[in-house]
Amino acid sequence: QVQLVESGGGLVQPGGSITLHCAASGTVFSRHVMGWYRRPPGKGRELVAENRPDGKMYLLDSVKGRFSMLRDNANRTVSLQMNNVKPEDTAIYYCNSHLPVAAPLDYWGQGTQVIVSS
């Protein structure tokens, strides 16, 4: 059973920075696709960043140049560094893990809230 635990959310001012962390257990971490999703208030969930076992990366267009995702296979963690945050980045952020197969079973963390406000 894969378990994902996020941390690091909170209140941040526009233009500021915040880093989210996700620790994984119960799986062969290096074989999993790891991702960060978010659900803004009143909106659907969207993929923000993804890191695949082959090293390929994805970043949502609206966060390119501001967010970066780091992966540490040895410590089974991923992080999302969020710089120059904007009010529209306000959301609950979720860590996701799944194998790179056709119909994967998704694992989710409990979510961590980020509020961008002055």
Side-chain angles (χ1 to χ4, degrees):
Q1 183 71 20
V2 178
Q3 292 185 328
L4 303 173
V5 179
E6 300 111 335
S7 61
L11 175 66
V12 58
Q13 292 186 343
S17 297
I18 190 168
T19 302
L20 308 182
H21 302 277
C22 174
S25 62
T27 183
V28 182
F29 181 83
S30 61
R31 297 179 185 174
H32 278 234
V33 178
M34 299 299 299
W36 285 99
Y37 287 74
R38 68 185 181 188
R39 187 186 297 275
K43 297 183 180 180
R45 186 176 61 199
E46 61 182 355
L47 176 62
V48 178
E50 186 175 85
N51 183 301
R52 305 185 69 84
D54 59 6
K56 292 182 179 179
M57 294 278 301
Y58 165 84
L59 277 175
L60 183 67
D61 282 347
S62 62
V63 307
K64 287 180 179 177
R66 302 188 297 120
F67 291 11
S68 60
M69 181 177 177
L70 297 179
R71 179 178 187 138
D72 183 343
N73 284 337
N75 291 304
R76 303 156 70 88
T77 61
V78 292
S79 60
L80 184 68
Q81 176 67 45
M82 303 166 60
N83 298 322
N84 189 24
V85 296
K86 302 176 180 180
E88 52 263 41
D89 296 321
T90 295
I92 300 176
Y93 285 74
Y94 297 91
C95 183
N96 170 271
S97 174
H98 62 269
L99 287 170
V101 296
L105 177 63
D106 281 301
Y107 298 97
W108 297 94
Q110 80 282 4
T112 186
Q113 187 165 43
V114 174
I115 299 174
V116 182
S117 176
S118 56

